[in-house]
Amino acid sequence: MKEEIALQIQKLGGNIDKLKGKSLQEDLQSIEFKHPLYPNDFGDELFGVDEFYSNNLQLYSTDKETFYNTLLDHFFSDHEIPYGQSFYRKFLFTPFKKDSADFDELDGLVEEHEIRETVIAGDLEFICICYSYGFPDQYFVCLTDPIPENPTVYGTDHEVFFQEINNEGTLEEFFKRFLTKDEFLKIVEHYIENVKTDK
C-alpha cells in the first residue's frame, strides 16, 4: 500500500499499526477505525448537528470548548446513527471462487463477464472496504488488482449487487473523500457560529 494512503488513513483516525505491506488483503484487513467516516460534502446537509445543538444548548451557552469536544466524541464514536457517513469494513466477498462461502451467491443475477467489463483484475476475489447510507452503498477492492499498492475501488449497491458496478477511482482517491476530525469540526463550528446563532 502506498505510504500516502496509509498516512491519509491515519489522518482520518484509522489505526495502521498492524500494516506490514505483505499483501493487499492483509493490509486492508489490518486497518481499524473506531468511528464512522464523514464525506467531504457533509457540510451540504449536516445530518444530526441541529439535533445535537438543540439537545446541548445549555452546554453551548456556558462552555463552548466542552460543547465542541462532546460533539466530536458523539459523531466520532462507534455508532451507526444515520448521519450520511460511511463505515470501514473488511470482509471478503468471493462469489466466483469455488468452495468459498460466497460461491454462486450471484448465480443468475450477474455473469462474470459483465463484471469484467468494469473490473480489471485476475481472479474476481473482492474485499468490501466500506459501506454507506448513500448510493452506491458498498465499496469493494479486487484482491488481484494489477496495482495492489493503490488498487481501484468499485461501488455497487445491495439492491443491484454487482449488476451495476462503478469505478470509484483509486484507493488513494477514495480515502481523500472523507473529512479529518479537524476538517469536520471546522465545518460544524462555522455552521453553528454563523448560521444557528444568527437565527
Side-chain angles (χ1 to χ4, degrees), residues 3-36:
E3 183 180 357
E4 291 84 353
I5 300 173
L7 290 174
Q8 177 65 9
I9 290 168
Q10 196 170 41
K11 283 181 188 175
L12 294 171
N15 185 326
I16 59 169
D17 291 347
K18 296 177 183 176
L19 205 64
K20 293 186 171 137
K22 289 184 178 178
S23 74
L24 178 57
Q25 179 180 335
E26 285 183 28
D27 279 355
L28 292 171
Q29 290 185 317
S30 73
I31 296 162
E32 296 177 346
F33 278 95
K34 293 185 177 179
H35 57 75

Side-chain angles (χ1 to χ4, degrees), residues 9-66:
I9 290 168
Q10 196 170 41
K11 283 181 188 175
L12 294 171
N15 185 326
I16 59 169
D17 291 347
K18 296 177 183 176
L19 205 64
K20 293 186 171 137
K22 289 184 178 178
S23 74
L24 178 57
Q25 179 180 335
E26 285 183 28
D27 279 355
L28 292 171
Q29 290 185 317
S30 73
I31 296 162
E32 296 177 346
F33 278 95
K34 293 185 177 179
H35 57 75
L37 296 166
Y38 293 91
N40 286 328
D41 63 358
F42 179 76
D44 295 347
E45 296 288 345
L46 292 166
F47 295 110
V49 173
D50 284 344
E51 182 181 5
F52 184 90
Y53 175 78
S54 298
N55 291 341
N56 295 276
L57 191 52
Q58 180 63 36
L59 179 59
Y60 176 80
S61 301
T62 57
D63 188 345
K64 283 188 182 181
E65 183 177 353
T66 301

